[in-house]
Amino acid sequence: MTTLVSELDLPVMLMADGTQARRFGGRGDLPDGHWLAKNLVGYTVWHYDDVTAILRDKRWHNASGRIAEIMGVTDERFLLRQRESILSAEGDTHVRLRRLVAPAFTPRQADRLRPFMREVMNGLVDKVAAQGRADIAVDICEPYPIPIICELLGAPKSDWQLFSRLANDILEIFSLDMASKIDFILATQAELDEYTNQLIADRRNKPADDLITDLIAAEAEGDRLSTDELVMMVNAVIVGGTDTTRNQLGLSMSLFAEFPDQWALLAERPDLAPRAVEETMRYFGAVRGTMRFASEDIVYRDVLFPAGTFIGIGLAEANKDADAFSEPHTFDITMSHGDQPQLTFGSGIHYCLGQALARAELQEALPLLAQRMPNLRRDGEIEWKPDGVGIFGPAHFPVTFDPGH
Ligand code: HEM
């Protein structure tokens, strides 16, 4: 028998996106014996099976284009832009965009950048290696992704600073008080659009070995990306690819600081890097949750969710689900917890487009850091970033380590 969701007697969770247990190990106040709870804007699921079922069901649409709306933004210029992004596009529009851009985001494309990733990371460690102390969040994680995104796009080194400022300002869309910053965000977006248009014009004249050239050339069945769509993709790469990667690196390192044996093992066995990345992302992922809304009336597990219902998807909690992973609360980079993929890159049609690049960045960074920062120890409390929309990580993370490596 089908029951209307609002008629169920459900426990209540506070966070809108289903992210309760922010600190690793903690389960927050997840209600036992339930699979569905109420939250501020709708409902929440957090079991691996429900999370994957909903993410793979195309009738549930990505709510990222509506977060601004939920947070009280009424500026039509901003809302329109959000709806046009690959992150929030749905149906045929989304399929078309994914088909066009997917070839530019393969593991092979990411692998081309691995030597450059090592160069960037070595440069960052060089600055702190002699003193044997660092703020991992500020000295290592924060600056790491920007040069890589620039190199990926084909932006010259002289633009790193400019690019870094634009990216950081644009990322204000993830802050909780974004509604009050809307003019600032729009102005930055206009500046970035102008910059990107210039890059595109340059590559049209003179193709190079980079993402923009690949995207300009991308063609499927006679179809091509328009200039506006190219600009949107560059925006999506910046929004999707910088804060996520730097926060994930910070969280992964914070875990290793608590598990020194695993850190020493990774230094000894860099071949464990891929496992280390999957395990740290499962155990302590930077994207704690996401959101969907019902594009039509949907019946799931005998519950009717009327069109428009919002649902929070607890990725972090699903990554610790004992029905999906064996010993989910054990952190061990040598251990397989089962065949299921960790969910910090999402699942279904919106599965992270940049996953190969992000995996490569983390797989290069972690063993290099393990070798150059032996005996990593936390040197004080970690200061966590304020709760934003879904992405989480350290703001300050002081460490000491054996100098001179
Ligand atoms: C550790 C780093 C990263 C994490 C944890 C991460 C996580 C995610 C997640 C969870 C989604 C799906 C969101 C949803 O379904 O609601 C997603 C989508 C996306 N990511 Fe990532 N991401 C990372 C790095 C990157 C990088 C490096 C790029 C770009 C180069 C990127 C670009 C994108 C794009 C464009 C989408 C939208 C795909 C679509 O909707 O079809 N991400 N990411």
Side-chain angles (χ1 to χ4, degrees):
M1 209 188 68
T2 303
T3 315
L4 185 64
V5 66
S6 57
E7 282 168 6
L8 294 172
D9 185 18
L10 295 173
V12 177
M13 284 162 83
L14 285 179
M15 292 297 293
D17 59 359
T19 60
Q20 287 291 296
R22 299 230 154 215
R23 306 292 176 265
F24 60 86
R27 269 178 45 86
D29 53 359
L30 289 178
D32 277 330
H34 291 268
W35 65 271
L36 186 66
K38 259 191 204 152
N39 65 19
L40 288 181
V41 294
Y43 302 88
T44 295
V45 291
W46 61 92
H47 289 159
Y48 194 97
D49 283 354
D50 297 321
V51 162
T52 45
I54 289 178
L55 289 177
R56 288 173 193 164
D57 182 337
K58 292 177 187 158
R59 295 172 302 168
W60 289 103
H61 284 189
N62 197 323
S64 72
R66 300 188 56 185
I67 288 176
E69 210 178 304
I70 297 167
M71 289 168 86
V73 176
T74 50
D75 195 310
E76 205 40 46
R77 295 164 302 164
F78 186 83
L79 297 178
L80 258 175
R81 229 194 123 98
Q82 293 293 295
R83 279 185 218 118
E84 284 160 6
S85 165
I86 187 168
L87 282 146
S88 47
E90 291 293 345
D92 293 347
T93 313
H94 183 259
V95 170
R96 168 176 170 265
L97 284 173
R98 277 296 282 225
R99 191 183 304 137
L100 280 166
V101 303
F105 288 93
T106 58
R108 204 180 58 81
Q109 300 300 85
D111 287 346
R112 291 197 304 189
L113 289 169
R114 283 180 187 261
F116 183 75
M117 293 167 185
R118 290 194 289 274
E119 191 186 316
V120 172
M121 188 47 87
N122 270 319
L124 295 173
V125 183
D126 285 346
K127 292 186 188 152
V128 294
Q131 72 238 35
R133 101 185 10 251
D135 181 333
I136 292 293
V138 174
D139 300 324
I140 303 293
C141 302
E142 164 78 22
Y144 182 50
I146 294 285
I148 295 162
I149 295 282
C150 283
E151 185 75 7
L152 173 81
L153 292 171
K157 191 167 180 176
S158 53
D159 288 348
W160 285 4
Q161 286 282 319
L162 168 73
F163 206 86
S164 176
R165 179 178 65 77
L166 291 175
N168 284 342
D169 291 352
I170 287 228
L171 289 168
E172 291 287 347
I173 55 165
F174 288 119
S175 66
L176 277 185
D177 54 346
M178 59 108 58
S180 65
K181 296 178 180 158
I182 211 71
D183 285 333
F184 173 70
I185 296 172
L186 276 168
T188 310
Q189 273 176 343
E191 206 179 336
L192 180 67
D193 285 359
E194 197 183 311
Y195 179 81
T196 313
N197 270 309
Q198 191 55 51
L199 270 185
I200 293 167
D202 290 351
R203 288 304 172 278
R204 283 220 160 99
N205 287 332
K206 200 164 163 277
D209 196 7
D210 56 39
L211 180 73
I212 296 202
T213 305
D214 287 351
L215 289 176
I216 291 170
E219 192 167 9
E221 292 152 25
D223 185 16
R224 270 172 182 271
L225 292 173
S226 69
T227 301
D228 280 354
E229 286 169 338
L230 281 168
V231 171
M232 176 280 292
M233 275 310 301
V234 171
N235 215 288
V237 164
I238 295 170
V239 171
T242 40
D243 233 24
T244 44
T245 309
R246 59 165 72 106
N247 282 311
Q248 186 57 59
L249 183 59
L251 295 182
S252 299
M253 296 273 297
S254 75
L255 268 176
F256 281 114
E258 304 297 323
F259 294 91
D261 295 352
Q262 303 268 315
W263 193 236
L265 182 65
L266 183 60
E268 232 171 78
R269 290 196 44 199
D271 59 298
L272 285 173
R275 282 272 348 125
V277 170
E278 298 317 306
E279 179 68 345
T280 54
M281 288 189 73
R282 181 189 72 79
Y283 202 88
F284 204 12
V287 179
R288 315 295 292 161
T290 182
M291 263 218 271
R292 293 292 185 267
F293 68 92
S295 67
E296 55 186 82
D297 289 356
I298 297 173
V299 175
Y300 177 68
R301 289 182 67 167
D302 288 336
V303 176
L304 171 65
F305 297 87
T309 307
F310 282 102
I311 194 148
I313 314 279
L315 300 174
E317 291 77 14
N319 277 331
K320 296 269 176 71
D321 184 344
D323 290 334
F325 300 104
S326 60
E327 295 184 50
H329 294 280
T330 304
F331 172 68
D332 185 344
I333 62 170
T334 64
M335 183 175 161
S336 160
H337 296 270
D339 298 331
Q340 288 82 351
Q342 52 89 7
L343 292 177
T344 303
F345 285 122
S347 185
I349 52 164
H350 289 283
Y351 184 70
C352 179
L353 184 66
Q355 58 80 23
L357 185 76
R359 283 190 159 109
E361 286 177 82
L362 295 164
Q363 287 166 5
E364 293 305 325
L366 286 174
L368 188 155
L369 287 161
Q371 282 164 356
R372 296 199 61 191
M373 294 184 166
N375 237 330
L376 183 83
R377 291 172 303 269
R378 198 157 45 75
D379 186 26
E381 287 302 310
I382 296 177
E383 187 190 311
W384 301 100
K385 289 185 180 167
D387 287 347
V389 185
I391 305 181
F392 171 70
H396 290 286
F397 175 11
V399 295
T400 59
F401 53 92
D402 294 349
H405 292 271

